[in-house]
Amino acid sequence: MKDTKAINKDLILRERLALQRTVLANQSTFLAFLRTAMYFLIAGLSLRNLLKVENSFLIEMALFIISFVILLLGTLNYFKHKKSISENKKHIGDYQLEYYE
């Protein structure tokens, strides 16, 4: 009987560590979205100064809109996965009392 409790404790620890890695991966993905959005924003800001193009205003607006859309999608993706991760934490709690004994 003692072996099964040890196995349950190991499984709980593994599940907790897996969820922590998933949280870190979610944060890393959000930062990648943020970085990409900032690249498009900076491209839009610097376009007029670097290139002498006739329709530079339209291209700048397109880059600003793309930047905003990427930032919005990244934020929505982050919170959707954060909610999913927090829902999965509830399933680990079934063995929580045995783990702390």
XYZ file of all heavy atoms in Angstrom:
833
model
N 0.821 -1.194 0.000
C 0.000 0.000 0.000
C 0.862 1.253 0.000
O 0.506 2.257 -0.561
C -0.917 -0.041 1.233
C -1.947 1.053 1.266
S -3.150 0.707 0.000
C -4.222 2.059 0.216
N 2.018 1.155 0.628
C 2.887 2.308 0.715
C 3.470 2.663 -0.658
O 3.718 3.823 -0.954
C 4.000 2.034 1.719
C 4.755 3.258 2.114
C 5.664 2.966 3.284
C 6.208 4.263 3.822
N 6.920 4.109 5.054
N 3.675 1.662 -1.508
C 4.225 1.914 -2.830
C 3.267 2.717 -3.694
O 3.690 3.561 -4.473
C 4.560 0.597 -3.535
C 5.723 -0.115 -2.856
O 6.559 0.577 -2.248
O 5.771 -1.358 -2.932
N 1.965 2.461 -3.577
C 1.002 3.195 -4.396
C 0.947 4.661 -4.005
O 0.777 5.524 -4.850
C -0.406 2.580 -4.286
O -0.826 2.604 -2.923
C -0.422 1.172 -4.820
N 1.106 4.949 -2.707
C 1.128 6.359 -2.292
C 2.358 7.066 -2.840
O 2.296 8.209 -3.242
C 1.077 6.475 -0.771
C -0.283 6.231 -0.187
C -0.312 6.593 1.267
C -1.712 6.393 1.816
N -1.808 6.842 3.191
N 3.486 6.379 -2.862
C 4.700 6.972 -3.413
C 4.536 7.240 -4.903
O 4.951 8.267 -5.407
C 5.897 6.071 -3.162
N 3.899 6.311 -5.593
C 3.655 6.509 -7.013
C 2.715 7.690 -7.220
O 2.940 8.533 -8.079
C 3.088 5.222 -7.647
C 4.157 4.132 -7.672
C 2.583 5.499 -9.052
C 3.635 2.778 -8.093
N 1.672 7.780 -6.430
C 0.747 8.903 -6.557
C 1.446 10.232 -6.300
O 1.205 11.213 -6.979
C -0.433 8.739 -5.602
C -1.407 7.685 -6.063
O -1.422 7.339 -7.236
N -2.198 7.178 -5.150
N 2.340 10.264 -5.308
C 3.068 11.496 -5.030
C 3.959 11.874 -6.205
O 4.051 13.035 -6.576
C 3.913 11.344 -3.763
C 3.104 11.326 -2.495
C 4.014 11.175 -1.292
C 3.201 11.088 -0.016
N 4.061 10.948 1.171
N 4.609 10.882 -6.799
C 5.456 11.161 -7.956
C 4.628 11.660 -9.136
O 5.040 12.572 -9.851
C 6.233 9.914 -8.361
C 7.313 9.560 -7.359
O 7.696 10.438 -6.555
O 7.772 8.396 -7.384
N 3.486 11.048 -9.340
C 2.627 11.483 -10.433
C 2.115 12.901 -10.217
O 2.054 13.695 -11.155
C 1.450 10.519 -10.601
C 1.783 9.149 -11.173
C 0.537 8.270 -11.181
C 2.357 9.274 -12.562
N 1.750 13.217 -8.990
C 1.270 14.567 -8.695
C 2.374 15.576 -8.940
O 2.155 16.634 -9.542
C 0.764 14.651 -7.234
C -0.503 13.815 -7.092
C 0.472 16.079 -6.837
C -0.917 13.606 -5.660
N 3.581 15.254 -8.495
C 4.707 16.160 -8.701
C 4.971 16.353 -10.190
O 5.188 17.476 -10.652
C 5.951 15.626 -7.993
C 7.204 16.479 -8.111
C 6.966 17.849 -7.489
C 8.375 15.782 -7.449
N 4.942 15.279 -10.948
C 5.152 15.379 -12.394
C 4.077 16.220 -13.055
O 4.361 17.017 -13.941
C 5.184 13.985 -13.014
C 6.447 13.238 -12.719
C 6.445 11.900 -13.392
N 7.542 11.100 -12.891
C 7.590 9.794 -12.960
N 6.592 9.119 -13.497
N 8.631 9.138 -12.488
N 2.836 16.026 -12.641
C 1.743 16.807 -13.227
C 1.883 18.284 -12.883
O 1.664 19.149 -13.728
C 0.396 16.279 -12.752
C 0.020 14.951 -13.350
C -1.314 14.438 -12.860
O -2.022 15.189 -12.168
O -1.639 13.294 -13.175
N 2.260 18.575 -11.655
C 2.462 19.978 -11.260
C 3.600 20.612 -12.053
O 3.498 21.744 -12.501
C 2.727 20.085 -9.764
C 1.513 19.847 -8.929
C 1.641 20.524 -7.581
N 0.490 20.260 -6.757
C -0.640 20.936 -6.820
N -0.765 21.924 -7.658
N -1.657 20.623 -6.035
N 4.692 19.889 -12.200
C 5.820 20.414 -12.968
C 5.458 20.584 -14.437
O 5.872 21.550 -15.078
C 7.037 19.497 -12.807
C 7.663 19.478 -11.418
C 8.773 18.437 -11.356
C 8.181 20.845 -11.035
N 4.670 19.664 -14.970
C 4.226 19.787 -16.359
C 3.345 21.023 -16.536
O 3.465 21.737 -17.537
C 3.474 18.531 -16.784
N 2.483 21.278 -15.570
C 1.652 22.479 -15.652
C 2.486 23.743 -15.535
O 2.208 24.740 -16.209
C 0.561 22.462 -14.584
C -0.651 21.598 -14.907
C -1.606 21.550 -13.728
C -1.366 22.110 -16.137
N 3.504 23.730 -14.705
C 4.377 24.900 -14.605
C 5.117 25.144 -15.913
O 5.266 26.292 -16.352
C 5.363 24.731 -13.456
C 4.736 24.869 -12.092
C 5.714 24.620 -10.969
O 6.858 24.223 -11.201
N 5.261 24.840 -9.744
N 5.573 24.066 -16.564
C 6.226 24.214 -17.867
C 5.245 24.753 -18.896
O 5.609 25.562 -19.749
C 6.795 22.881 -18.335
C 8.062 22.476 -17.636
C 8.714 21.279 -18.312
N 7.843 20.107 -18.350
C 7.785 19.183 -17.407
N 8.551 19.287 -16.341
N 6.993 18.149 -17.526
N 3.993 24.315 -18.805
C 2.982 24.797 -19.732
C 2.698 26.276 -19.516
O 2.521 27.030 -20.481
C 1.691 23.968 -19.567
O 2.006 22.586 -19.692
C 0.665 24.336 -20.609
N 2.672 26.710 -18.265
C 2.483 28.141 -17.973
C 3.637 28.943 -18.562
O 3.426 29.996 -19.187
C 2.368 28.368 -16.448
C 2.487 29.833 -16.097
C 1.059 27.807 -15.924
N 4.860 28.462 -18.383
C 6.016 29.169 -18.933
C 5.985 29.194 -20.460
O 6.349 30.200 -21.075
C 7.307 28.535 -18.428
C 7.589 28.710 -16.941
C 8.814 27.901 -16.539
C 7.757 30.167 -16.585
N 5.555 28.114 -21.072
C 5.449 28.079 -22.533
C 4.381 29.053 -23.015
O 4.556 29.719 -24.044
C 5.122 26.663 -22.997
N 3.285 29.162 -22.269
C 2.225 30.103 -22.626
C 2.747 31.542 -22.543
O 2.484 32.357 -23.426
C 1.016 29.906 -21.706
C -0.193 30.673 -22.157
O -0.375 30.939 -23.338
N -1.034 31.029 -21.214
N 3.499 31.850 -21.501
C 4.067 33.187 -21.359
C 5.081 33.473 -22.467
O 5.119 34.582 -23.013
C 4.725 33.342 -19.992
C 3.748 33.340 -18.848
C 4.423 33.283 -17.498
O 5.637 33.116 -17.400
N 3.626 33.411 -16.450
N 5.872 32.479 -22.805
C 6.855 32.645 -23.882
C 6.170 32.891 -25.223
O 6.620 33.727 -26.018
C 7.725 31.400 -23.956
O 8.609 31.473 -25.028
N 5.072 32.192 -25.465
C 4.323 32.395 -26.701
C 3.725 33.792 -26.751
O 3.751 34.456 -27.792
C 3.211 31.332 -26.827
O 3.804 30.043 -26.761
C 2.453 31.481 -28.128
N 3.207 34.272 -25.626
C 2.669 35.631 -25.588
C 3.763 36.655 -25.881
O 3.551 37.610 -26.630
C 2.017 35.927 -24.235
C 1.570 37.355 -24.105
C 0.500 37.819 -24.841
C 2.230 38.223 -23.259
C 0.085 39.136 -24.733
C 1.830 39.542 -23.147
C 0.752 40.000 -23.888
N 4.941 36.448 -25.312
C 6.037 37.378 -25.574
C 6.469 37.340 -27.039
O 6.878 38.363 -27.594
C 7.211 37.065 -24.650
C 6.979 37.390 -23.180
C 8.167 36.924 -22.343
C 6.732 38.866 -22.976
N 6.376 36.189 -27.680
C 6.688 36.099 -29.110
C 5.665 36.889 -29.925
O 6.034 37.589 -30.883
C 6.710 34.643 -29.553
N 4.382 36.795 -29.561
C 3.365 37.604 -30.229
C 3.649 39.093 -30.024
O 3.548 39.893 -30.954
C 1.968 37.282 -29.683
C 1.270 36.149 -30.367
C 1.207 34.899 -29.794
C 0.647 36.341 -31.590
C 0.557 33.859 -30.414
C -0.014 35.310 -32.227
C -0.063 34.058 -31.635
N 3.995 39.464 -28.804
C 4.286 40.864 -28.487
C 5.486 41.359 -29.279
O 5.463 42.469 -29.836
C 4.531 41.003 -26.983
C 4.814 42.401 -26.456
C 3.595 43.289 -26.634
C 5.195 42.331 -24.993
N 6.522 40.559 -29.357
C 7.726 40.932 -30.107
C 7.399 41.135 -31.587
O 7.825 42.114 -32.200
C 8.784 39.847 -29.925
C 10.078 40.133 -30.644
C 11.074 39.006 -30.483
N 10.527 37.767 -31.031
C 10.528 36.601 -30.397
N 11.026 36.500 -29.201
N 10.030 35.529 -30.972
N 6.609 40.231 -32.158
C 6.248 40.342 -33.559
C 5.406 41.586 -33.809
O 5.607 42.300 -34.799
C 5.489 39.084 -34.014
O 6.283 37.933 -33.717
C 5.191 39.123 -35.495
N 4.481 41.870 -32.895
C 3.658 43.074 -33.035
C 4.528 44.331 -32.970
O 4.315 45.293 -33.717
C 2.590 43.103 -31.951
N 5.517 44.313 -32.096
C 6.409 45.476 -31.990
C 7.257 45.636 -33.252
O 7.544 46.757 -33.669
C 7.288 45.358 -30.745
C 6.511 45.600 -29.489
S 7.382 45.487 -27.911
C 9.074 45.511 -28.262
N 7.662 44.531 -33.877
C 8.410 44.621 -35.134
C 7.577 45.311 -36.215
O 8.073 46.182 -36.932
C 8.829 43.241 -35.630
C 9.958 42.604 -34.865
C 10.078 41.222 -34.817
C 10.911 43.352 -34.194
C 11.110 40.616 -34.119
C 11.942 42.759 -33.486
C 12.035 41.391 -33.455
O 13.051 40.800 -32.773
N 6.314 44.932 -36.316
C 5.459 45.562 -37.313
C 5.214 47.032 -36.974
O 5.162 47.878 -37.861
C 4.122 44.816 -37.433
C 4.194 43.621 -38.339
C 4.394 42.353 -37.834
C 4.056 43.773 -39.705
C 4.461 41.258 -38.659
C 4.123 42.682 -40.553
C 4.330 41.415 -40.028
N 5.070 47.354 -35.700
C 4.873 48.737 -35.282
C 6.100 49.581 -35.606
O 5.981 50.689 -36.159
C 4.576 48.798 -33.787
C 4.320 50.176 -33.201
C 2.990 50.715 -33.711
C 4.316 50.113 -31.695
N 7.268 49.073 -35.321
C 8.498 49.807 -35.615
C 8.706 49.940 -37.116
O 9.152 50.987 -37.606
C 9.702 49.115 -34.938
C 9.595 49.300 -33.430
C 11.021 49.666 -35.455
C 10.584 48.501 -32.634
N 8.344 48.918 -37.859
C 8.435 49.005 -39.322
C 7.513 50.101 -39.836
O 7.892 50.875 -40.726
C 8.080 47.671 -39.955
N 6.316 50.198 -39.271
C 5.398 51.253 -39.682
C 5.895 52.634 -39.304
O 5.748 53.592 -40.066
N 6.508 52.756 -38.139
C 7.013 54.059 -37.703
C 8.223 54.521 -38.508
O 8.387 55.716 -38.777
C 7.387 54.005 -36.217
C 6.237 53.898 -35.230
C 6.777 53.668 -33.820
C 5.384 55.148 -35.271
N 9.069 53.603 -38.889
C 10.305 53.982 -39.571
C 10.193 53.974 -41.086
O 11.141 54.370 -41.767
C 11.432 53.061 -39.133
O 11.151 51.739 -39.513
N 9.072 53.568 -41.617
C 8.944 53.453 -43.072
C 9.081 54.799 -43.764
O 9.787 54.933 -44.759
C 7.601 52.809 -43.430
C 7.367 52.551 -44.906
C 8.341 51.484 -45.387
C 5.955 52.111 -45.148
N 8.445 55.812 -43.241
C 8.462 57.129 -43.892
C 9.867 57.737 -43.863
O 10.275 58.406 -44.806
C 7.482 58.074 -43.205
C 7.367 59.407 -43.910
C 6.328 60.281 -43.295
N 5.007 59.710 -43.589
C 3.879 60.200 -43.111
N 3.892 61.231 -42.307
N 2.728 59.655 -43.416
N 10.609 57.484 -42.808
C 11.950 58.059 -42.702
C 12.979 57.330 -43.562
O 13.933 57.951 -44.033
C 12.417 58.049 -41.254
C 11.572 58.949 -40.385
O 11.026 59.932 -40.858
N 11.459 58.595 -39.120
N 12.795 56.046 -43.750
C 13.793 55.281 -44.489
C 13.549 55.243 -45.994
O 14.489 55.287 -46.775
C 13.844 53.850 -43.950
C 14.366 53.690 -42.523
C 14.292 52.237 -42.092
C 15.783 54.206 -42.404
N 12.301 55.140 -46.382
C 11.986 55.005 -47.805
C 11.145 56.182 -48.273
O 10.275 56.665 -47.562
C 11.213 53.710 -48.060
C 11.910 52.409 -47.672
C 10.959 51.248 -47.863
C 13.159 52.207 -48.499
N 11.416 56.611 -49.451
C 10.607 57.673 -50.068
C 9.640 57.014 -51.053
O 9.894 56.902 -52.233
C 11.496 58.683 -50.796
C 12.554 59.318 -49.934
C 11.924 60.142 -48.838
C 13.040 60.796 -48.019
N 12.596 61.314 -46.769
N 8.518 56.556 -50.534
C 7.510 55.862 -51.329
C 6.274 56.747 -51.385
O 5.927 57.428 -50.418
C 7.172 54.488 -50.693
C 6.137 53.751 -51.503
C 8.429 53.657 -50.551
N 5.573 56.736 -52.532
C 4.388 57.582 -52.683
C 3.294 57.243 -51.679
O 2.741 58.112 -51.046
C 3.830 57.442 -54.105
C 4.616 58.176 -55.153
C 3.954 58.046 -56.504
O 2.706 57.934 -56.574
O 4.679 58.060 -57.499
N 2.970 55.992 -51.578
C 1.870 55.565 -50.710
C 2.387 55.083 -49.353
O 1.884 54.111 -48.804
C 1.069 54.455 -51.385
C 0.402 54.930 -52.655
O 0.030 56.100 -52.756
N 0.264 54.051 -53.617
N 3.334 55.772 -48.810
C 3.910 55.326 -47.545
C 2.894 55.406 -46.408
O 2.943 54.598 -45.484
C 5.155 56.141 -47.203
O 4.820 57.493 -46.968
N 1.973 56.356 -46.480
C 0.960 56.462 -45.422
C 0.069 55.225 -45.387
O -0.236 54.710 -44.309
C 0.117 57.726 -45.622
C -0.931 57.902 -44.568
C -0.583 58.309 -43.296
C -2.265 57.628 -44.839
C -1.539 58.458 -42.309
C -3.235 57.773 -43.864
C -2.865 58.188 -42.596
N -0.328 54.740 -46.560
C -1.159 53.537 -46.613
C -0.399 52.307 -46.110
O -0.959 51.475 -45.394
C -1.651 53.297 -48.042
C -2.607 54.353 -48.609
C -2.920 54.056 -50.059
C -3.868 54.398 -47.783
N 0.852 52.226 -46.469
C 1.661 51.094 -46.010
C 1.863 51.176 -44.496
O 1.782 50.166 -43.790
C 3.011 51.055 -46.757
C 2.768 50.833 -48.254
C 3.908 49.967 -46.199
C 4.012 50.979 -49.106
N 2.096 52.395 -43.988
C 2.231 52.584 -42.537
C 0.956 52.162 -41.815
O 1.019 51.460 -40.797
C 2.519 54.046 -42.215
C 3.914 54.490 -42.503
C 4.104 55.964 -42.201
O 3.456 56.477 -41.262
O 4.894 56.605 -42.903
N -0.183 52.581 -42.296
C -1.452 52.212 -41.667
C -1.661 50.705 -41.706
O -2.136 50.109 -40.736
C -2.630 52.926 -42.349
C -2.773 54.357 -41.972
S -3.225 54.512 -40.253
C -1.829 55.355 -39.583
N -1.297 50.086 -42.819
C -1.435 48.626 -42.922
C -0.541 47.942 -41.889
O -0.973 46.988 -41.215
C -1.075 48.160 -44.325
N 0.673 48.428 -41.710
C 1.575 47.831 -40.725
C 1.079 48.066 -39.303
O 1.187 47.183 -38.450
C 2.993 48.386 -40.900
C 3.735 47.908 -42.150
C 5.037 48.685 -42.325
C 4.007 46.432 -42.090
N 0.509 49.246 -39.044
C -0.055 49.512 -37.710
C -1.237 48.594 -37.421
O -1.378 48.070 -36.315
C -0.502 50.970 -37.585
C 0.623 51.965 -37.572
C 0.425 53.245 -38.043
C 1.873 51.624 -37.101
C 1.455 54.173 -38.024
C 2.914 52.535 -37.067
C 2.696 53.818 -37.538
N -2.088 48.396 -38.414
C -3.250 47.524 -38.239
C -2.800 46.074 -38.021
O -3.315 45.373 -37.140
C -4.209 47.646 -39.440
C -4.865 49.034 -39.420
C -5.260 46.544 -39.420
C -5.644 49.367 -40.674
N -1.827 45.629 -38.799
C -1.301 44.275 -38.629
C -0.701 44.119 -37.235
O -0.920 43.102 -36.563
C -0.258 43.952 -39.720
C -0.948 43.817 -41.072
C 0.515 42.683 -39.389
C 0.004 43.726 -42.242
N 0.013 45.129 -36.779
C 0.599 45.093 -35.438
C -0.482 44.973 -34.369
O -0.368 44.167 -33.446
C 1.427 46.351 -35.208
O 1.863 46.438 -33.883
N -1.541 45.755 -34.498
C -2.625 45.705 -33.525
C -3.329 44.353 -33.544
O -3.663 43.800 -32.487
C -3.626 46.836 -33.795
C -4.789 46.836 -32.866
C -4.639 47.235 -31.546
C -6.036 46.420 -33.293
C -5.705 47.225 -30.675
C -7.119 46.410 -32.438
C -6.948 46.814 -31.123
N -3.549 43.802 -34.730
C -4.224 42.505 -34.852
C -3.371 41.398 -34.222
O -3.889 40.536 -33.497
C -4.552 42.200 -36.333
C -4.958 40.748 -36.526
C -5.636 43.132 -36.834
N -2.070 41.430 -34.473
C -1.188 40.419 -33.885
C -1.189 40.527 -32.367
O -1.250 39.515 -31.658
C 0.246 40.550 -34.455
C 0.273 40.115 -35.915
C 1.237 39.725 -33.644
C 1.580 40.370 -36.610
N -1.145 41.758 -31.847
C -1.177 41.951 -30.398
C -2.496 41.464 -29.810
O -2.517 40.801 -28.767
C -0.954 43.422 -30.051
C -0.930 43.767 -28.570
C 0.238 43.079 -27.886
C -0.851 45.266 -28.381
N -3.593 41.744 -30.481
C -4.908 41.310 -30.012
C -5.020 39.781 -30.030
O -5.480 39.183 -29.054
C -6.010 41.941 -30.875
C -7.438 41.657 -30.467
C -7.728 42.307 -29.115
C -8.394 42.176 -31.515
N -4.576 39.157 -31.104
C -4.618 37.695 -31.191
C -3.725 37.048 -30.127
O -4.109 36.043 -29.513
C -4.184 37.230 -32.578
C -5.170 37.482 -33.712
C -4.549 37.090 -35.049
C -6.458 36.737 -33.478
N -2.561 37.619 -29.904
C -1.666 37.088 -28.883
C -2.260 37.185 -27.490
O -2.152 36.265 -26.685
N -2.918 38.317 -27.198
C -3.538 38.498 -25.893
C -4.698 37.530 -25.702
O -4.825 36.901 -24.639
C -4.021 39.949 -25.726
O -2.922 40.832 -25.964
C -4.574 40.194 -24.351
N -5.538 37.391 -26.721
C -6.658 36.446 -26.629
C -6.155 35.011 -26.475
O -6.696 34.244 -25.668
C -7.551 36.566 -27.864
C -8.343 37.864 -27.990
C -9.073 37.905 -29.317
C -9.300 38.018 -26.836
N -5.124 34.660 -27.224
C -4.536 33.321 -27.135
C -3.984 33.067 -25.732
O -4.186 31.990 -25.163
C -3.429 33.185 -28.181
C -2.804 31.821 -28.194
O -3.476 30.816 -28.055
N -1.495 31.789 -28.360
N -3.314 34.056 -25.164
C -2.728 33.913 -23.833
C -3.803 33.644 -22.781
O -3.687 32.712 -21.989
C -1.932 35.164 -23.471
C -1.443 35.169 -22.045
C -0.367 34.383 -21.670
C -2.062 35.941 -21.077
C 0.085 34.361 -20.365
C -1.622 35.931 -19.772
C -0.543 35.151 -19.417
O -0.121 35.132 -18.119
N -4.860 34.447 -22.791
C -5.882 34.284 -21.764
C -6.709 33.012 -21.970
O -7.157 32.395 -21.008
C -6.778 35.522 -21.681
C -6.100 36.669 -20.989
C -5.732 37.795 -21.693
C -5.803 36.595 -19.645
C -5.093 38.843 -21.061
C -5.166 37.639 -18.997
C -4.807 38.771 -19.713
N -6.895 32.606 -23.223
C -7.611 31.350 -23.486
C -6.832 30.167 -22.919
O -7.399 29.305 -22.234
C -7.825 31.175 -24.988
C -8.571 29.901 -25.351
C -8.714 29.754 -26.844
C -7.434 29.198 -27.379
N -7.499 28.743 -28.761
N -5.533 30.137 -23.171
C -4.719 29.036 -22.659
C -4.525 29.133 -21.149
O -4.427 28.105 -20.471
C -3.373 28.992 -23.378
C -3.476 28.444 -24.757
N -3.633 29.241 -25.860
C -3.492 27.169 -25.208
C -3.715 28.489 -26.925
N -3.636 27.218 -26.567
N -4.470 30.342 -20.622
C -4.343 30.502 -19.171
C -5.568 29.923 -18.470
O -5.452 29.255 -17.442
C -4.178 31.981 -18.825
C -3.928 32.240 -17.371
C -3.695 33.723 -17.122
C -3.478 33.970 -15.653
N -3.249 35.378 -15.361
N -6.746 30.156 -19.040
C -7.975 29.604 -18.473
C -7.957 28.073 -18.550
O -8.330 27.384 -17.592
C -9.190 30.158 -19.212
C -10.509 29.662 -18.686
C -11.660 30.218 -19.479
C -12.960 29.625 -18.997
N -14.075 30.024 -19.839
N -7.518 27.541 -19.667
C -7.440 26.095 -19.838
C -6.453 25.463 -18.845
O -6.727 24.406 -18.273
C -7.017 25.769 -21.269
O -6.823 24.400 -21.441
N -5.340 26.129 -18.621
C -4.353 25.621 -17.668
C -4.913 25.634 -16.254
O -4.744 24.682 -15.490
C -3.050 26.440 -17.764
C -2.362 26.178 -19.094
C -2.110 26.108 -16.611
C -1.262 27.163 -19.412
N -5.606 26.704 -15.889
C -6.162 26.770 -14.535
C -7.259 25.725 -14.331
O -7.430 25.209 -13.228
C -6.688 28.171 -14.240
O -7.804 28.465 -15.051
N -7.995 25.397 -15.376
C -8.999 24.335 -15.271
C -8.337 22.972 -15.086
O -8.864 22.107 -14.383
C -9.895 24.325 -16.506
C -10.858 25.491 -16.560
C -11.636 25.548 -17.854
O -11.398 24.690 -18.743
O -12.468 26.455 -18.000
N -7.178 22.769 -15.686
C -6.476 21.495 -15.536
C -5.836 21.349 -14.169
O -5.578 20.234 -13.730
C -5.419 21.331 -16.631
C -6.041 20.986 -17.959
O -7.090 20.347 -18.007
N -5.410 21.413 -19.024
N -5.560 22.450 -13.487
C -4.999 22.372 -12.137
C -5.995 21.747 -11.176
O -5.595 21.125 -10.197
C -4.618 23.764 -11.638
C -3.320 24.257 -12.171
C -2.946 25.575 -11.540
C -1.646 26.078 -12.117
N -1.256 27.361 -11.539
N -7.278 21.876 -11.444
C -8.302 21.307 -10.570
C -8.248 19.785 -10.564
O -8.588 19.161 -9.573
C -9.689 21.769 -11.009
C -9.908 23.250 -10.876
C -11.234 23.656 -11.446
C -11.368 25.170 -11.481
N -12.590 25.593 -12.146
N -7.830 19.185 -11.674
C -7.794 17.724 -11.759
C -6.669 17.126 -10.928
O -6.725 15.958 -10.557
C -7.659 17.281 -13.214
C -8.812 17.707 -14.055
N -10.093 17.253 -13.860
C -8.885 18.574 -15.096
C -10.898 17.809 -14.737
N -10.194 18.611 -15.499
N -5.646 17.898 -10.643
C -4.542 17.391 -9.826
C -4.966 17.308 -8.371
O -4.496 16.471 -7.628
C -3.304 18.300 -9.975
C -2.818 18.256 -11.408
C -2.183 17.849 -9.063
C -1.683 19.182 -11.692
N -5.886 18.127 -7.947
C -6.291 18.210 -6.553
C -6.922 16.955 -6.001
O -7.111 16.840 -4.797
N -7.249 15.973 -6.830
C -7.858 14.737 -6.341
C -6.943 14.006 -5.378
O -7.391 13.381 -4.435
C -8.210 13.819 -7.514
C -9.267 14.424 -8.418
O -9.979 15.335 -7.945
O -9.362 13.992 -9.570
N -5.644 14.075 -5.607
C -4.683 13.366 -4.770
C -3.946 14.300 -3.813
O -2.995 13.910 -3.188
C -3.648 12.651 -5.644
C -4.265 11.666 -6.585
C -4.383 11.961 -7.931
C -4.730 10.448 -6.137
C -4.946 11.053 -8.809
C -5.296 9.545 -6.996
C -5.411 9.852 -8.331
O -5.949 8.963 -9.201
N -4.361 15.531 -3.740
C -3.611 16.527 -2.992
C -3.498 16.165 -1.517
O -2.440 16.331 -0.917
C -4.271 17.893 -3.143
C -3.436 19.010 -2.572
C -4.013 20.359 -2.914
O -5.125 20.446 -3.425
N -3.268 21.395 -2.649
N -4.536 15.632 -0.903
C -4.483 15.295 0.520
C -3.489 14.164 0.780
O -2.757 14.187 1.758
C -5.865 14.918 1.025
C -6.889 16.052 1.021
C -8.247 15.518 1.455
C -6.451 17.169 1.937
N -3.436 13.184 -0.124
C -2.486 12.092 0.048
C -1.050 12.589 -0.126
O -0.131 12.087 0.497
C -2.757 10.989 -0.970
C -4.042 10.246 -0.723
C -4.261 9.164 -1.778
O -3.299 8.830 -2.493
O -5.374 8.665 -1.869
N -0.862 13.582 -0.966
C 0.493 14.069 -1.247
C 1.090 14.767 -0.023
O 2.262 14.603 0.275
C 0.460 15.036 -2.427
C 1.829 15.525 -2.816
C 2.731 14.682 -3.451
C 2.230 16.821 -2.542
C 3.990 15.111 -3.801
C 3.486 17.270 -2.885
C 4.360 16.413 -3.521
O 5.595 16.851 -3.865
N 0.287 15.500 0.690
C 0.802 16.253 1.830
C 0.842 15.449 3.123
O 1.260 15.963 4.139
C -0.009 17.534 2.025
C 0.235 18.528 0.924
C -0.780 18.882 0.053
C 1.491 19.096 0.756
C -0.545 19.793 -0.972
C 1.724 19.992 -0.249
C 0.711 20.346 -1.117
O 0.943 21.229 -2.114
N 0.392 14.214 3.102
C 0.436 13.384 4.325
C 1.803 12.797 4.546
O 2.586 12.602 3.702
C -0.595 12.253 4.224
C -1.993 12.785 4.350
C -3.010 11.669 4.219
O -2.636 10.509 3.936
O -4.187 11.939 4.400
